[in-house]
Amino acid sequence: MKLEKILDKLGSLEKNSFIKIIDNIISKNPKNAKEIEKILSSSDKGLKSVDNLNVSNIFSLISNEFTEHLLCEFQEANSQLDILIDIIIRDGNCIMKQDWFSRLYETEIKNLKVKIKILNAELENEKSELSESRKRDYRIYKACLSTAYNNDVANNRETKITSDELSIILTLSKQLGLSQEDVKLINYSILPIKKADIQDVINNLKNLGVVFFSKKENTIFIADEMVSLLRKVRKKEVAEKFYRRTLKLLREPVINQIAKDHNIDRKLTVSQKIEEIIKDGISFTDLLTTEIHKQDLTLTEKKKTLNELCEKGLNLTNLKGNTLEDKINSLIDHFDSVEKDEKVGISIDGFDKMLTELNKSLPKLNKELKEQFELQEEYVLNADFLLDYNIKPRDILDLIIKPDLSKFIKDNGIKQRGDDILNILEHFKDVENLYLENYANVGYRNLNLLKENGISVKESELGLKFEELTKIIFKSLGFNVDDKFKNQLNTQKDMMDILLNLGNEEIIIVECKTIKEKGYNKFSTVSRQLKSYQNLAIKNNLRIVKILLIAPEFSDDFVYDCEMDTEMNLSLITASTLTKIFEAFKTSKYKEFPHVLFRDIVINEERIIKALAK
């Protein structure tokens, strides 16, 4: 769930710790201080009175400083912060009831203790499957950590690891090629591990600004933006779902070799080995740099292997970068942008239809998803629910084994040639709703983003498409979009885009404008156009209740000129505002949108959404 949406759900007390930390970072003149000041200048009372969207924007501007704030907490080696973060950054753990979080925490501690015993036994067992070189690496790291922790005893001081010692130990673990799971197991074989009171754990995480806790709902919320930041703190370059997507493209012998190198049970199935590799915390960069390649491969051959993996498996052509490192970073950036993108590749309705059909074909899928993503609810195959957890259609399909995917494709008459997952997504795309979800992108004429979101359209068609979508929205709001009457009124010179017929010779005129550059600022041109429509309507004895101008955004100058105009009853609506009003209307008690709410110069979405909710 996005930070803005979480903040909307919470009271001021529940947001207080988070706001205090951001306030403290701002007071220390962060890198983006000027941009932050621009946002804060609109508020007289500082950060606490800034709306939730702008709090979210400020958080993105201070993300580097927030990361430093968290890294300071990691200097306390036995804080269990690594254990806790590893729980909350897993796919599906961004919203949890307190008792569920408590259960996951308890399970994590138990599993950790079991794994520590197994590792210690492996180190002592001469016939263990661990190679001698790997045993040596573990022993070196363990001996150094033990010295760092216990050397205080000789000086009659409390046993702890200092920040200097910790930085050296972290460097050592990297040079030895230890995974995060390796490091964690060895760390807690030396450091005492105790289960803390869950309320204390939640309070500590809340005071760090990492989680929000709603007492009313007894629920922990971790924003998608925070999860992304915490992954970076834990040196996890991509989300588990993208790691899994990549691993599933590898041949079984490659998976087996990676599993062997990291002491993963060879008796497990390939799918189980993949999950264990993900849990092991092997660096994604290390995976693509060394783990998936044979030892004697040249750098050129490694780059070729990576390119083929991306082109054939991930549908990514022309991976940017000349060096292997650049190409891997390009892939990480791609996954990062996919995760941040709120669009899901198909429409929400299409997602729900896909989930309904999956449940019919594969009745065990609901249970499998619950277990995979550690979800508490009984029935989880619901699009809105899964999207709150940032789980998208592709993430679901990635979990389904090949035979089950084939069965689903046959059951639903889906095209069988080519990539199974891409064929399924195409089948459930639901183009009209997908366009509506990309309404603002159409208005901005953003061809690249539209293409990324599964829409193929010519630039020359975007103006007409924006008008069509606007008509669909107003029809859905209960208005009579009267094309027949509009065509009777229009002349060759004056052609209004949309006419809303209210009856009794009353109308609303709607004009649609797409823009490629930022900020629509051609008021003089558009005002002449709208006044000619106004005169046309008056000549036909019509009363104009309102003139609405829809565009992706308006410049400050445009808004000022509009405010100064005394001849037209004109209101400005941004495309994103109209979309939000449309979404709020769907769940309201109204069958027809009360047009009297269109009374601002620049339509205030918050006021209208509140009115619709009453």
Side-chain angles (χ1 to χ4, degrees):
M1 190 179 286
K2 295 293 178 186
L3 178 58
E4 181 192 358
K5 191 172 179 180
I6 292 174
L7 293 172
D8 286 342
K9 293 173 70 74
L10 302 173
S12 56
L13 280 175
E14 293 161 331
K15 297 185 273 192
N16 202 32
S17 297
F18 179 71
I19 297 295
K20 273 184 179 178
I21 292 166
I22 293 182
D23 236 342
N24 185 46
I25 290 172
I26 292 171
S27 70
K28 294 176 181 176
N29 195 29
K31 181 183 175 183
N32 294 316
K34 287 183 181 178
E35 288 90 338
I36 293 167
E37 186 54 40
K38 283 180 187 176
I39 296 171
L40 292 175
S41 63
S42 62
S43 169
D44 297 329
K45 298 178 183 177
L47 188 61
K48 286 189 177 179
S49 60
V50 170
D51 65 50
N52 293 329
L53 173 60
N54 277 320
V55 172
S56 177
N57 291 336
I58 289 171
F59 177 72
S60 69
L61 289 169
I62 54 102
S63 61
N64 289 338
E65 288 83 0
F66 202 99
T67 302
E68 289 300 318
H69 152 72
L70 289 177
L71 287 171
C72 287
E73 295 300 320
F74 264 96
Q75 304 305 314
E76 186 63 44
N78 57 356
S79 66
Q80 293 190 6
L81 200 53
D82 51 353
I83 297 173
L84 298 169
I85 288 179
D86 284 351
I87 294 172
I88 62 181
I89 65 174
R90 283 184 207 142
D91 298 331
N93 282 354
C94 55
I95 306 170
M96 293 179 279
K97 293 289 185 185
Q98 180 178 320
D99 64 326
W100 188 249
F101 179 48
S102 177
R103 200 179 307 174
L104 292 178
Y105 171 60
E106 190 173 335
T107 302
E108 193 76 6
I109 297 290
K110 282 181 182 175
N111 289 343
L112 201 52
K113 288 179 176 178
V114 170
K115 286 180 178 179
I116 288 167
K117 283 183 181 178
I118 293 170
L119 178 63
N120 287 335
E122 289 282 299
L123 289 174
E124 297 299 324
N125 184 2
E126 292 181 5
K127 294 181 180 179
S128 77
E129 291 189 6
L130 278 177
S131 67
E132 286 304 314
S133 61
R134 183 49 58 171
K135 282 184 181 180
R136 184 207 60 187
D137 294 340
Y138 287 165
R139 285 169 181 154
I140 289 171
Y141 180 77
K142 188 174 182 180
C144 291
L145 183 72
S146 179
T147 300
Y149 184 67
N150 293 307
N151 62 10
D152 291 314
V153 175
N155 298 313
N156 199 26
R157 291 197 301 253
E158 181 188 355
T159 52
K160 67 175 184 178
I161 296 172
T162 66
S163 58
D164 286 343
E165 289 170 336
L166 186 61
S167 65
I168 293 169
I169 286 164
L170 290 173
T171 303
L172 177 65
S173 69
K174 188 173 182 181
Q175 291 303 312
L176 292 172
L178 302 184
S179 70
Q180 285 188 338
E181 191 68 10
D182 294 334
V183 170
K184 196 159 68 172
L185 291 178
I186 298 170
N187 281 359
Y188 289 106
S189 68
I190 301 296
L191 308 174
I193 180 169
K194 295 177 183 176
K195 180 177 174 291
D197 179 76
I198 197 63
Q199 198 57 58
D200 290 339
V201 169
I202 292 170
N203 286 336
N204 289 338
L205 291 172
K206 185 164 71 83
N207 292 335
L208 280 173
V210 167
V211 307
F212 297 95
F213 181 63
S214 167
K215 286 186 178 178
K216 182 181 176 183
E217 297 182 34
N218 199 32
T219 300
I220 298 160
F221 296 94
I222 306 101
D224 293 342
E225 298 91 326
M226 183 64 72
V227 170
S228 180
L229 186 149
L230 291 172
R231 273 201 216 101
K232 289 174 183 173
V233 169
R234 291 293 287 138
K235 308 294 183 190
K236 293 191 175 183
E237 298 125 313
V238 298
E240 290 179 0
K241 56 191 177 185
F242 300 129
Y243 206 131
R244 181 181 299 108
R245 190 174 299 175
T246 306
L247 286 171
K248 288 186 80 171
L249 300 173
L250 303 176
R251 294 181 303 112
E252 188 173 341
V254 178
I255 295 293
N256 290 339
Q257 186 57 50
I258 297 169
K260 183 181 177 184
D261 290 344
H262 292 274
N263 196 30
I264 292 169
D265 190 350
R266 64 181 181 181
K267 295 174 185 173
L268 299 175
T269 65
V270 173
S271 295
Q272 289 170 330
K273 283 174 185 169
I274 285 173
E275 295 308 317
E276 288 302 313
I277 290 168
I278 294 169
K279 288 176 188 174
D280 215 44
I282 301 163
S283 158
F284 189 68
T285 298
D286 288 349
L287 178 86
L288 298 179
T289 305
T290 57
E291 301 273 358
I292 67 170
H293 306 289
K294 292 178 181 177
Q295 288 185 351
D296 56 350
L297 279 188
T298 65
L299 196 56
T300 303
E301 288 171 327
K302 286 183 178 181
K303 285 195 282 187
K304 185 183 177 184
T305 300
L306 181 59
N307 282 334
E308 287 176 354
L309 189 75
C310 292
E311 287 172 14
K312 294 178 182 176
L314 298 171
N315 232 21
L316 276 175
T317 54
N318 300 320
L319 201 62
K320 292 178 184 177
N322 294 320
T323 68
L324 182 62
E325 184 182 0
D326 288 342
K327 287 180 179 294
I328 293 169
N329 287 335
S330 177
L331 179 57
I332 291 169
D333 289 342
H334 166 73
F335 283 142
D336 192 40
S337 64
V338 169
E339 186 177 24
K340 286 177 181 175
D341 186 4
E342 293 185 45
K343 300 293 181 275
V344 298
I346 62 176
S347 71
I348 308 295
D349 284 352
F351 191 9
D352 261 327
K353 286 175 188 172
M354 186 187 88
L355 291 169
T356 300
E357 296 306 320
L358 278 169
N359 193 40
K360 289 179 185 174
S361 286
L362 309 171
K364 292 181 181 178
L365 182 63
N366 184 67
K367 184 183 177 186
E368 288 168 359
L369 284 186
K370 273 171 57 70
E371 291 173 356
Q372 180 66 56
F373 294 117
E374 297 181 329
L375 300 168
Q376 190 172 5
E377 284 71 9
E378 281 307 310
Y379 186 77
V380 299
L381 295 174
N382 173 276
D384 287 329
F385 170 81
L386 290 171
L387 290 173
D388 276 345
Y389 287 82
N390 203 17
I391 299 169
K392 298 174 183 175
R394 176 70 192 255
D395 306 329
I396 304 293
L397 298 175
D398 277 336
L399 294 172
I400 302 173
I401 59 175
K402 182 78 174 173
D404 285 348
L405 268 185
S406 299
K407 179 182 185 301
F408 178 66
I409 286 168
K410 287 178 183 176
D411 287 352
N412 288 274
I414 298 168
K415 186 172 78 172
Q416 295 182 41
R417 280 189 175 186
D419 186 283
D420 287 348
I421 288 177
L422 294 182
N423 289 342
I424 293 169
L425 293 175
E426 183 64 31
H427 184 81
F428 289 99
K429 187 180 277 187
D430 188 354
V431 175
E432 184 177 293
N433 278 301
L434 188 58
Y435 264 111
L436 285 171
E437 289 165 22
N438 282 274
Y439 179 55
N441 290 330
V442 174
Y444 274 119
R445 308 182 75 85
N446 194 332
L447 280 173
N448 288 335
L449 201 50
L450 289 169
K451 188 177 179 182
E452 285 177 24
N453 292 332
I455 292 174
S456 179
V457 63
K458 294 177 182 176
E459 187 171 5
S460 58
E461 298 171 352
L462 288 172
L464 185 58
K465 179 57 70 174
F466 190 63
E467 186 181 316
E468 287 174 3
L469 294 172
T470 307
K471 282 183 182 180
I472 291 169
I473 291 173
F474 277 107
K475 281 179 183 175
S476 301
L477 289 172
F479 287 104
N480 175 14
V481 178
D482 199 336
D483 283 338
K484 187 177 179 181
F485 189 29
K486 179 192 75 172
N487 292 335
Q488 288 173 4
L489 293 174
N490 279 349
T491 66
Q492 286 186 338
K493 184 182 174 185
D494 300 318
M495 301 185 71
M496 61 186 84
D497 288 341
I498 299 170
L499 183 145
L500 307 181
N501 193 341
L502 304 179
N504 299 318
E505 297 189 327
E506 292 184 334
I507 63 168
I508 293 174
I509 296 171
V510 182
E511 183 68 10
C512 305
K513 296 293 180 186
T514 60
I515 53 171
K516 206 162 190 177
E517 70 280 359
K518 284 276 183 181
Y520 193 72
N521 56 11
K522 300 174 184 175
F523 184 78
S524 58
T525 304
V526 79
S527 64
R528 284 196 298 271
Q529 192 179 4
L530 293 174
K531 282 171 187 173
S532 66
Y533 299 159
Q534 180 175 267
N535 293 333
L536 184 66
I538 291 169
K539 280 181 186 177
N540 286 275
N541 300 314
L542 297 171
R543 177 175 173 263
I544 301 170
V545 173
K546 176 66 70 174
I547 298 175
L548 298 173
L549 179 61
I550 320 289
E553 63 175 85
F554 302 95
S555 68
D556 292 341
D557 288 343
F558 191 100
V559 174
Y560 176 79
D561 290 341
C562 184
E563 289 171 340
M564 294 298 104
D565 185 272
T566 57
E567 297 180 34
M568 292 185 293
N569 185 9
L570 175 62
S571 288
L572 310 177
I573 311 181
T574 66
S576 62
T577 291
L578 185 57
T579 300
K580 289 173 183 174
I581 290 170
F582 176 40
E583 290 302 317
F585 177 79
K586 287 179 184 177
T587 55
S588 73
K589 65 183 178 183
Y590 296 96
K591 291 185 178 178
E592 184 178 325
F593 182 84
H595 61 78
V596 293
L597 293 176
F598 289 142
R599 56 173 175 260
D600 308 310
I601 296 295
V602 180
I603 297 299
N604 183 323
E605 66 191 55
E606 287 186 18
R607 178 182 61 75
I608 291 179
I609 289 169
K610 283 179 183 176
L612 291 174
K614 284 183 179 179

